[in-house]
Amino acid sequence: MLTRRSMMLASIAAGVTMNSKTASTKAAQPATPVNFEIPAGACDCHTHIHGDPAKFPFFAGRVYTPELASPEEMSGLHKTLKIERVVIVTPSVYGPDNSSTLYGMMARGASARGVAVIDDKTPESDLDTMQKQGFRGIRLNLATGGVNDPTVGRPRFSAAVERVKARGWHVQLFTSLAMISAIKDLVAASPVPVVFDHFGGAQAALGVGQPGFADLVELVKSGKAYVKISGAYRASKNGPDYADATPLAQALIAANADRIVWGTDWPHPDSVTPAGKQITDVTPLFQIDDGRLLNQLPVWAPDAAIRKKILVDNPARLYRFG
């Protein structure tokens, strides 16, 4: 039987800690100083804002309930990491309501861009407004909640492309390697950029030879897809440095450094409601040291010019920073 103590010990072994006073846990802040020069205009390409639910209600169909994470905490994170720009992504807990993401974007002004979640009921006029507000893509979640059937994923991807192609937005996918293999022909033919979250769902323990990883590498190499080398703790259980994720990152960078972006995945939500808990119960955020995670980038990309592509040039092109 899993106890809270056993869960905490397992989390610590994976480089993750949880505050025992979960009611007062705050979103993680970096504990380790950055040990390399961060270029001007660097961008954290994957974050979330969890606003006060009295103002930003959670989606009734969500599969977990996160702790709060404010724009002020995010600003503190990026000040410590010496990162100027940010991309805020609407998490699944809000469904197609992007108001909490917009709240975070407004707090950061011109240095922020957004990735929205929409549905069939989202009118074109809303997309027009979101474009003016700084949204530059839409996210499809084909992982959380078990939406992993290619017969569902293929038409959802195609529909998403149709919604954004006139605006030049991109389609971001949170999914698995199996799904990537199932839709690779659609991605290769897509008229808009495609962005895969978190190493494309690859698992570090399975190495670069795992099924589907070659398809991901091929899409990156061809220039048809971007990959976020973000949330290494999601790909690896080998904390705190997640060294076994290094071959995955290096393979993707070697395939095409012009199609790689980096992100923290702050505030590190745990999208799995613990056994015995209700979906409406608050699940603590992972306490990840983002300074230590960022310090893996020179391991993955020793060349400063390549790091500038990943941190500055590629995000500026993809998210259209001025």
Side-chain angles (χ1 to χ4, degrees), residues 87-272:
V87 177
I88 305 175
V89 180
T90 298
S92 64
V93 295
Y94 290 113
D97 182 352
N98 298 285
S99 56
S100 186
T101 295
L102 179 60
Y103 166 59
M105 292 165 63
M106 291 177 67
R108 291 291 284 267
S111 66
R113 296 290 185 269
V115 177
V117 173
I118 67 172
D119 63 15
D120 294 343
K121 297 178 183 177
T122 305
E124 291 296 307
S125 58
D126 280 9
L127 298 185
D128 292 337
T129 299
M130 285 191 277
Q131 173 130 347
K132 294 174 183 176
Q133 292 167 334
F135 285 89
R136 295 294 180 261
I138 61 173
R139 188 192 200 199
L140 286 185
N141 188 330
L142 301 179
T144 303
V147 185
N148 56 10
D149 182 348
T151 62
V152 175
R154 289 179 66 86
R156 284 189 65 192
F157 175 78
S158 296
V161 169
E162 287 301 311
R163 292 300 303 272
V164 305
K165 68 180 184 181
R167 292 176 172 80
W169 288 12
H170 65 272
V171 174
Q172 178 179 316
L173 289 165
F174 180 35
T175 191
S176 64
L177 290 177
M179 180 68 78
I180 291 172
S181 293
I183 65 172
K184 66 179 182 179
D185 59 318
L186 299 180
V187 175
S190 173
V192 305
V194 177
V195 184
F196 293 114
D197 288 351
H198 311 324
F199 294 86
Q203 295 301 301
L206 301 178
V208 297
Q210 63 191 284
F213 191 70
D215 291 328
L216 176 62
V217 168
E218 180 183 344
L219 289 168
V220 171
K221 187 174 183 178
S222 70
K224 296 304 298 185
Y226 288 78
V227 176
K228 295 185 181 185
I229 49 173
S230 57
Y233 62 96
R234 297 192 180 279
S236 168
K237 295 180 173 62
N238 189 17
D241 292 320
Y242 311 102
D244 54 347
T246 297
L248 302 180
Q250 290 178 337
L252 291 166
I253 293 167
N256 189 347
D258 292 328
R259 291 296 181 269
I260 307 299
V261 295
W262 180 89
T264 56
D265 191 32
W266 187 92
H268 313 296
D270 182 354
S271 58
V272 179

Side-chain angles (χ1 to χ4, degrees), residues 27 48-52 67-74 100 103 266-267 285:
H48 309 290
I49 291 293
H50 303 152
D52 179 352
E67 292 181 306
L68 305 190
S70 71
E72 293 78 15
E73 289 173 296
M74 181 185 285
S100 186
Y103 166 59
W266 187 92
L285 299 167

Side-chain angles (χ1 to χ4, degrees), residues 1-3 7 272-283:
M1 177 179 174
L2 282 176
T3 64
M7 289 173 63
V272 179
T273 297
K277 296 289 186 179
Q278 301 297 316
I279 287 171
T280 51
D281 291 334
V282 174
T283 300

